[in-house]
Amino acid sequence: FLSLVAEFCCGFFVILILGNFWFLAVLYLLWLYLDWETPCAGGRRCQWVRSWTVWKYFREYFPIHLVKTSELNPNHNYLLGFHPHGVLVAGAFGNFCTDSPFKNLFPGLTPYLHIMPIWFGCPFFREYIMCAGMVSASKESVSHVLNNEGGGHASVIVIGGAEESLNAHPGSLTLNILKRKGFIKMALKHGAHLVPVFSFGENELFKQVANPKGSWLRNVQEKLQKMMGFALPLFHARGVFQYSFGLIPYRQPIHTVVGSPIPVKQNLNPTTEEIDQLHALYLQKLKKLFEEHKSNYGIPAHKSLIFE
Protein backbone atom coordinates (compact mmCIF):
# COMPACT_ATOMS: atom_id res chain seq x y z
CA PHE A 1 0.00 0.00 0.00
CA LEU A 2 2.73 2.45 0.96
CA SER A 3 4.65 1.54 -2.19
CA LEU A 4 1.63 2.33 -4.36
CA VAL A 5 1.10 5.70 -2.66
CA ALA A 6 4.83 6.47 -2.98
CA GLU A 7 4.74 5.66 -6.71
CA PHE A 8 1.74 7.93 -7.16
CA CYS A 9 3.51 10.79 -5.37
CA CYS A 10 6.67 10.34 -7.44
CA GLY A 11 4.58 10.25 -10.61
CA PHE A 12 2.84 13.47 -9.61
CA PHE A 13 6.22 15.11 -9.01
CA VAL A 14 7.41 14.05 -12.49
CA ILE A 15 4.27 15.56 -13.99
CA LEU A 16 5.06 18.85 -12.27
CA ILE A 17 8.56 18.84 -13.74
CA LEU A 18 7.50 17.95 -17.28
CA GLY A 19 4.41 20.17 -17.29
CA ASN A 20 3.92 23.88 -16.94
CA PHE A 21 4.34 23.72 -13.18
CA TRP A 22 8.08 23.09 -13.08
CA PHE A 23 8.51 26.13 -10.85
CA LEU A 24 6.42 24.39 -8.18
CA ALA A 25 8.75 21.40 -8.43
CA VAL A 26 11.73 23.70 -7.95
CA LEU A 27 10.13 25.29 -4.88
CA TYR A 28 9.40 21.85 -3.46
CA LEU A 29 12.99 20.74 -4.03
CA LEU A 30 14.13 23.79 -2.07
CA TRP A 31 11.71 22.85 0.71
CA LEU A 32 13.02 19.27 0.60
CA TYR A 33 16.58 20.52 1.03
CA LEU A 34 15.67 22.76 3.99
CA ASP A 35 13.48 20.10 5.63
CA TRP A 36 15.74 17.10 5.01
CA GLU A 37 16.58 16.43 8.67
CA THR A 38 13.01 16.57 10.00
CA PRO A 39 12.41 12.77 9.74
CA CYS A 40 15.35 12.33 12.13
CA ALA A 41 14.10 15.01 14.51
CA GLY A 42 10.71 13.66 15.54
CA GLY A 43 8.92 14.20 12.25
CA ARG A 44 5.85 16.38 11.92
CA ARG A 45 2.76 14.47 13.04
CA CYS A 46 -0.69 15.82 12.29
CA GLN A 47 -3.69 14.69 14.31
CA TRP A 48 -6.02 15.59 11.43
CA VAL A 49 -4.27 13.09 9.11
CA ARG A 50 -4.10 10.40 11.79
CA SER A 51 -7.84 10.69 12.40
CA TRP A 52 -8.98 10.41 8.78
CA THR A 53 -12.14 8.29 8.55
CA VAL A 54 -10.47 5.99 6.01
CA TRP A 55 -8.17 4.66 8.75
CA LYS A 56 -11.18 3.64 10.83
CA TYR A 57 -12.38 1.54 7.89
CA PHE A 58 -8.83 0.24 7.39
CA ARG A 59 -8.71 -1.05 10.97
CA GLU A 60 -12.21 -2.51 10.76
CA TYR A 61 -11.53 -4.31 7.46
CA PHE A 62 -9.33 -7.03 9.01
CA PRO A 63 -10.16 -6.07 11.86
CA ILE A 64 -7.12 -4.82 13.81
CA HIS A 65 -7.13 -5.08 17.60
CA LEU A 66 -4.64 -3.72 20.13
CA VAL A 67 -4.26 -5.88 23.23
CA LYS A 68 -2.83 -4.46 26.45
CA THR A 69 -1.20 -6.83 28.94
CA SER A 70 0.52 -4.38 31.28
CA GLU A 71 0.65 -0.73 32.25
CA LEU A 72 3.29 1.48 30.64
CA ASN A 73 4.21 4.36 32.93
CA PRO A 74 4.29 7.58 30.85
CA ASN A 75 7.16 8.85 32.99
CA HIS A 76 9.48 6.54 31.05
CA ASN A 77 10.48 6.27 27.41
CA TYR A 78 10.00 2.92 25.72
CA LEU A 79 11.36 0.97 22.78
CA LEU A 80 8.67 -1.34 21.41
CA GLY A 81 9.97 -4.25 19.33
CA PHE A 82 7.29 -5.17 16.79
CA HIS A 83 7.08 -8.74 15.42
CA PRO A 84 6.62 -10.09 12.77
CA HIS A 85 7.14 -7.78 9.78
CA GLY A 86 4.68 -9.57 7.51
CA VAL A 87 4.11 -8.13 4.04
CA LEU A 88 1.96 -5.13 4.91
CA VAL A 89 2.97 -4.41 8.54
CA ALA A 90 -0.73 -3.66 8.97
CA GLY A 91 -0.73 -4.04 12.75
CA ALA A 92 2.06 -1.51 13.22
CA PHE A 93 0.48 1.02 10.88
CA GLY A 94 -3.09 0.60 12.12
CA ASN A 95 -2.19 0.77 15.80
CA PHE A 96 0.60 3.34 15.86
CA CYS A 97 0.02 5.61 12.83
CA THR A 98 -3.71 6.23 13.08
CA ASP A 99 -6.07 7.49 15.74
CA SER A 100 -6.33 3.99 17.22
CA PRO A 101 -7.16 2.85 20.78
CA PHE A 102 -3.46 3.27 21.67
CA LYS A 103 -3.93 6.70 23.26
CA ASN A 104 -6.74 5.37 25.47
CA LEU A 105 -4.97 2.16 26.45
CA PHE A 106 -1.64 3.90 27.09
CA PRO A 107 -2.44 7.49 28.08
CA GLY A 108 0.50 9.89 28.11
CA LEU A 109 2.54 7.92 25.55
CA THR A 110 3.24 9.13 22.01
CA PRO A 111 4.21 6.35 19.55
CA TYR A 112 6.69 6.89 16.71
CA LEU A 113 6.93 4.19 14.05
CA HIS A 114 10.47 4.03 12.65
CA ILE A 115 10.73 3.09 8.96
CA MET A 116 13.55 2.92 6.41
CA PRO A 117 15.09 6.34 5.66
CA ILE A 118 14.70 5.75 1.91
CA TRP A 119 10.96 6.48 2.12
CA PHE A 120 11.65 10.06 3.23
CA GLY A 121 13.37 10.81 -0.05
CA CYS A 122 10.11 10.37 -1.95
CA PRO A 123 8.56 13.77 -2.86
CA PHE A 124 5.21 14.56 -1.18
CA PHE A 125 4.96 11.02 0.19
CA ARG A 126 7.40 11.95 2.94
CA GLU A 127 5.04 14.69 4.11
CA TYR A 128 2.18 12.23 4.49
CA ILE A 129 4.13 9.57 6.40
CA MET A 130 5.50 12.17 8.80
CA CYS A 131 1.98 13.47 9.39
CA ALA A 132 0.97 9.91 10.27
CA GLY A 133 3.69 9.73 12.93
CA MET A 134 6.39 7.86 11.05
CA VAL A 135 10.04 8.82 11.45
CA SER A 136 13.36 7.53 10.17
CA ALA A 137 14.84 4.30 11.52
CA SER A 138 18.30 5.88 11.69
CA LYS A 139 20.24 5.93 14.95
CA GLU A 140 19.87 9.72 15.11
CA SER A 141 16.11 9.46 14.82
CA VAL A 142 15.74 6.77 17.48
CA SER A 143 18.01 8.77 19.80
CA HIS A 144 15.92 11.90 19.26
CA VAL A 145 12.74 10.09 20.27
CA LEU A 146 14.23 8.30 23.28
CA ASN A 147 16.03 11.42 24.55
CA ASN A 148 12.75 13.03 25.57
CA GLU A 149 13.15 14.33 29.11
CA GLY A 150 10.32 13.32 31.38
CA GLY A 151 9.42 10.27 29.31
CA GLY A 152 6.22 9.75 27.36
CA HIS A 153 7.80 8.67 24.04
CA ALA A 154 7.60 5.20 22.50
CA SER A 155 9.85 4.20 19.60
CA VAL A 156 8.23 1.39 17.61
CA ILE A 157 10.75 -0.62 15.59
CA VAL A 158 9.92 -3.57 13.33
CA ILE A 159 12.91 -5.60 14.42
CA GLY A 160 12.98 -8.13 11.58
CA GLY A 161 13.10 -5.40 8.97
CA ALA A 162 12.52 -5.87 5.26
CA GLU A 163 14.44 -9.14 5.24
CA GLU A 164 11.81 -10.74 7.46
CA SER A 165 9.04 -10.00 4.94
CA LEU A 166 10.49 -12.79 2.79
CA ASN A 167 9.40 -15.23 5.51
CA ALA A 168 5.86 -13.84 5.61
CA HIS A 169 3.97 -16.99 4.64
CA PRO A 170 0.67 -17.98 6.30
CA GLY A 171 1.50 -20.00 9.40
CA SER A 172 5.13 -18.89 9.45
CA LEU A 173 6.58 -18.10 12.87
CA THR A 174 10.18 -17.39 11.82
CA LEU A 175 11.67 -14.13 13.11
CA ASN A 176 14.95 -12.55 11.96
CA ILE A 177 16.28 -11.43 15.31
CA LEU A 178 19.33 -13.38 16.49
CA LYS A 179 21.80 -11.00 14.82
CA ARG A 180 19.72 -7.85 15.34
CA LYS A 181 21.03 -6.22 18.49
CA GLY A 182 21.20 -2.56 17.53
CA PHE A 183 17.86 -1.86 19.20
CA ILE A 184 19.18 -3.41 22.40
CA LYS A 185 22.19 -1.09 22.36
CA MET A 186 19.94 1.93 21.78
CA ALA A 187 17.70 0.95 24.68
CA LEU A 188 20.72 0.65 26.98
CA LYS A 189 22.25 3.96 25.88
CA HIS A 190 19.02 5.84 26.58
CA GLY A 191 17.66 3.81 29.46
CA ALA A 192 14.50 3.10 27.46
CA HIS A 193 12.42 0.22 28.74
CA LEU A 194 12.05 -2.61 26.24
CA VAL A 195 8.59 -3.89 25.32
CA PRO A 196 8.08 -6.97 23.11
CA VAL A 197 5.07 -6.73 20.79
CA PHE A 198 3.68 -9.66 18.80
CA SER A 199 1.07 -9.14 16.10
CA PHE A 200 -0.93 -12.34 15.64
CA GLY A 201 -2.35 -12.70 12.13
CA GLU A 202 0.22 -10.45 10.45
CA ASN A 203 1.52 -13.23 8.22
CA GLU A 204 -1.95 -14.40 7.20
CA LEU A 205 -2.88 -11.38 5.06
CA PHE A 206 -1.18 -12.56 1.86
CA LYS A 207 0.03 -15.72 0.17
CA GLN A 208 3.60 -15.50 -1.02
CA VAL A 209 5.23 -17.39 -3.86
CA ALA A 210 7.28 -20.25 -2.44
CA ASN A 211 10.81 -18.97 -1.78
CA PRO A 212 12.61 -21.40 0.54
CA LYS A 213 16.13 -20.49 1.54
CA GLY A 214 18.59 -21.59 -1.09
CA SER A 215 16.08 -21.36 -3.93
CA TRP A 216 16.91 -19.20 -6.95
CA LEU A 217 14.03 -16.85 -6.14
CA ARG A 218 15.15 -16.36 -2.54
CA ASN A 219 18.74 -15.74 -3.67
CA VAL A 220 17.57 -13.07 -6.12
CA GLN A 221 15.30 -11.46 -3.50
CA GLU A 222 18.09 -11.35 -0.92
CA LYS A 223 20.54 -9.83 -3.40
CA LEU A 224 18.01 -7.16 -4.39
CA GLN A 225 17.27 -6.48 -0.73
CA LYS A 226 20.95 -5.86 -0.01
CA MET A 227 21.27 -3.59 -3.06
CA MET A 228 18.09 -1.51 -2.60
CA GLY A 229 17.55 -1.66 1.15
CA PHE A 230 14.05 -3.12 0.91
CA ALA A 231 12.71 -6.55 0.01
CA LEU A 232 10.48 -7.55 -2.91
CA PRO A 233 8.23 -10.41 -1.77
CA LEU A 234 6.06 -11.88 -4.56
CA PHE A 235 2.63 -12.03 -2.97
CA HIS A 236 -1.05 -12.16 -3.83
CA ALA A 237 -4.36 -12.30 -1.99
CA ARG A 238 -7.90 -11.43 -3.12
CA GLY A 239 -9.53 -9.09 -5.58
CA VAL A 240 -12.29 -6.51 -5.14
CA PHE A 241 -15.17 -8.72 -6.23
CA GLN A 242 -13.60 -12.19 -6.00
CA TYR A 243 -11.46 -14.07 -3.50
CA SER A 244 -9.25 -16.17 -5.79
CA PHE A 245 -6.58 -13.66 -6.83
CA GLY A 246 -5.61 -10.00 -6.34
CA LEU A 247 -3.49 -7.64 -4.27
CA ILE A 248 -6.07 -6.73 -1.63
CA PRO A 249 -5.16 -8.42 1.68
CA TYR A 250 -7.39 -11.16 3.04
CA ARG A 251 -9.78 -10.25 5.82
CA GLN A 252 -7.96 -11.94 8.67
CA PRO A 253 -8.10 -10.62 12.25
CA ILE A 254 -4.93 -9.01 13.56
CA HIS A 255 -4.34 -8.95 17.31
CA THR A 256 -1.32 -6.83 18.25
CA VAL A 257 -0.37 -7.84 21.79
CA VAL A 258 1.79 -5.37 23.75
CA GLY A 259 3.82 -7.18 26.39
CA SER A 260 5.17 -6.13 29.77
CA PRO A 261 8.10 -3.70 29.90
CA ILE A 262 11.62 -4.90 30.61
CA PRO A 263 13.25 -2.26 32.87
CA VAL A 264 16.52 -0.98 31.40
CA LYS A 265 19.09 1.05 33.34
CA GLN A 266 20.89 3.66 31.27
CA ASN A 267 24.38 2.66 30.20
CA LEU A 268 26.09 5.04 27.80
CA ASN A 269 28.84 2.56 26.92
CA PRO A 270 27.41 -0.96 27.15
CA THR A 271 29.78 -3.87 26.64
CA THR A 272 29.13 -6.69 24.18
CA GLU A 273 28.36 -8.98 27.10
CA GLU A 274 25.77 -6.57 28.51
CA ILE A 275 24.10 -6.22 25.11
CA ASP A 276 24.02 -10.01 24.63
CA GLN A 277 22.59 -10.51 28.11
CA LEU A 278 19.74 -8.05 27.56
CA HIS A 279 19.13 -9.45 24.08
CA ALA A 280 18.76 -12.95 25.54
CA LEU A 281 16.31 -11.64 28.15
CA TYR A 282 14.30 -9.88 25.43
CA LEU A 283 14.06 -13.12 23.42
CA GLN A 284 12.92 -14.93 26.53
CA LYS A 285 10.18 -12.35 27.23
CA LEU A 286 9.08 -12.32 23.57
CA LYS A 287 8.75 -16.09 23.52
CA LYS A 288 6.85 -16.04 26.81
CA LEU A 289 4.44 -13.41 25.42
CA PHE A 290 3.80 -15.56 22.36
CA GLU A 291 3.29 -18.76 24.35
CA GLU A 292 0.87 -17.11 26.77
CA HIS A 293 -1.39 -15.76 24.02
CA LYS A 294 -1.05 -18.13 21.06
CA SER A 295 -4.02 -20.29 22.08
CA ASN A 296 -6.27 -17.22 22.01
CA TYR A 297 -5.53 -16.59 18.32
CA GLY A 298 -5.63 -20.02 16.73
CA ILE A 299 -1.99 -21.04 16.99
CA PRO A 300 -1.67 -24.82 17.63
CA ALA A 301 -0.12 -25.80 20.95
CA HIS A 302 2.84 -27.53 19.28
CA LYS A 303 3.82 -24.38 17.30
CA SER A 304 6.56 -22.11 18.68
CA LEU A 305 8.59 -19.14 17.51
CA ILE A 306 11.70 -19.80 15.44
CA PHE A 307 14.55 -17.33 15.90
CA GLU A 308 17.03 -16.85 13.05
Side-chain angles (χ1 to χ4, degrees), residues 35-45 112-121 126 129-131 133-146 154-158 186:
D35 194 58
W36 190 254
E37 297 299 325
T38 301
C40 295
R44 188 169 43 246
R45 69 177 52 224
Y112 294 83
L113 179 61
H114 296 270
I115 63 175
M116 292 184 297
I118 189 174
W119 291 114
F120 295 98
R126 69 187 296 275
I129 56 179
M130 280 196 287
C131 285
M134 293 180 234
V135 292
S136 173
S138 67
K139 293 180 180 179
E140 295 79 9
S141 178
V142 176
S143 292
H144 181 89
V145 173
L146 298 181
S155 279
V156 182
I157 301 178
V158 184
M186 294 300 292

Side-chain angles (χ1 to χ4, degrees), residues 2 14 16 42 75 88 90 93 115 121 127-128 146 153 155 162 178 185 207 210-211 213 226 271 274 277 282 297:
L2 288 180
V14 171
L16 287 181
N75 293 326
L88 189 63
F93 177 81
I115 63 175
E127 316 304 335
Y128 157 67
L146 298 181
H153 280 189
S155 279
L178 291 182
K185 187 174 182 179
K207 292 179 181 178
N211 60 341
K213 289 202 170 185
K226 291 179 180 178
T271 63
E274 290 169 330
Q277 183 179 9
Y282 179 86
Y297 307 117

Side-chain angles (χ1 to χ4, degrees), residues 1-12 55 119 122-126 128-129:
F1 174 75
L2 288 180
S3 297
L4 291 175
V5 177
E7 289 175 7
F8 173 81
C9 291
C10 289
F12 179 70
W55 304 134
W119 291 114
C122 180
F124 301 116
F125 180 67
R126 69 187 296 275
Y128 157 67
I129 56 179

Side-chain angles (χ1 to χ4, degrees), residues 146-175:
L146 298 181
N147 269 337
N148 189 50
E149 294 185 7
H153 280 189
S155 279
V156 182
I157 301 178
V158 184
I159 305 300
E163 182 183 356
E164 192 173 87
S165 67
L166 300 178
N167 291 326
H169 296 271
S172 174
L173 295 172
T174 301
L175 304 181

Side-chain angles (χ1 to χ4, degrees), residues 48-62:
W48 176 69
V49 172
R50 289 171 60 87
S51 61
W52 281 351
T53 303
V54 66
W55 304 134
K56 176 178 179 291
Y57 293 126
F58 174 82
R59 293 193 304 271
E60 292 177 350
Y61 171 80
F62 299 97

